[in-house]
Amino acid sequence: MKILLIGCGAAGNKAVVNAVEKDVVKEEDTVIVNSTSKDFPSNYNGKTVILSPNDTGCGKEISIARDYAMNAIKQGKFNFENIEDYSTVIFCTSVEGGTGSGATPILAQFFAQYFGRNTHVIAFTGFEEDVRGLQNTVEFFKNL
């Protein structure tokens, strides 16, 4: 079984970079995704996907991140030439709002349905305790 590890949003990207640094996964078997390139970790040299057409962030607005993800799919940004090499795709993300919580449900469904890949989501929660973060967490799991 060969796994493609995808980090979505800042927390997911950090998790993927950490997995590479700890030799859990090879960098060529990873992708990091965000709405803006300024949030990509500087110590990562693997494949990156910028969701925003203008390389701008989405803040905590998960609806904007969902729109960015759907448009990126339509533009072919996830049609990786070697996707058939992977039997499983694992997404790492956070759920309180922003790129990860908005884009991950869309992208996970895409990889499962369009590519027919066994798809899993590792979701980090608990970073924020405000009402908006909790609402975004609930919405994330409803969308997933």
Side-chain angles (χ1 to χ4, degrees):
M1 172 171 69
K2 190 167 180 181
I3 296 171
L4 177 63
L5 184 62
I6 300 177
C8 193
N13 293 173
K14 289 175 188 170
V16 167
V17 169
N18 190 40
V20 170
E21 289 174 348
K22 303 287 185 195
D23 292 323
V24 174
V25 65
K26 295 178 182 175
E27 194 168 63
E28 62 263 18
D29 296 326
T30 65
V31 178
I32 59 175
V33 177
N34 216 324
S35 56
T36 175
S37 61
K38 72 177 181 174
D39 289 335
F40 288 143
S42 60
N43 55 336
Y44 179 78
N45 298 308
K47 182 160 182 55
T48 60
V49 176
I50 301 169
L51 296 178
S52 167
N54 301 317
D55 196 13
T56 56
C58 64
K60 293 279 186 189
E61 301 300 326
I62 62 176
S63 62
I64 293 172
R66 277 196 304 265
D67 291 343
Y68 284 169
M70 288 187 282
N71 287 331
I73 288 168
K74 289 176 187 172
Q75 294 169 1
K77 290 185 177 184
F78 293 96
N79 292 336
F80 304 138
E81 57 202 40
N82 63 339
I83 191 66
E84 66 279 350
D85 294 345
Y86 300 97
S87 60
T88 301
V89 177
I90 299 175
F91 283 88
C92 295
T93 189
S94 67
V95 298
E96 281 91 9
T99 302
S101 60
T104 299
I106 302 295
L107 298 176
Q109 290 172 21
F110 174 71
F111 275 84
Q113 294 171 359
Y114 184 77
F115 292 122
R117 298 290 155 235
N118 187 11
T119 305
H120 302 275
V121 175
I122 298 172
F124 304 106
T125 187
F127 300 120
E128 295 184 32
E129 297 178 4
D130 65 355
V131 173
R132 187 173 180 192
L134 292 174
Q135 289 171 335
N136 286 338
T137 300
V138 170
E139 189 173 342
F140 171 84
F141 285 104
K142 283 182 180 177
N143 292 324
L144 195 58

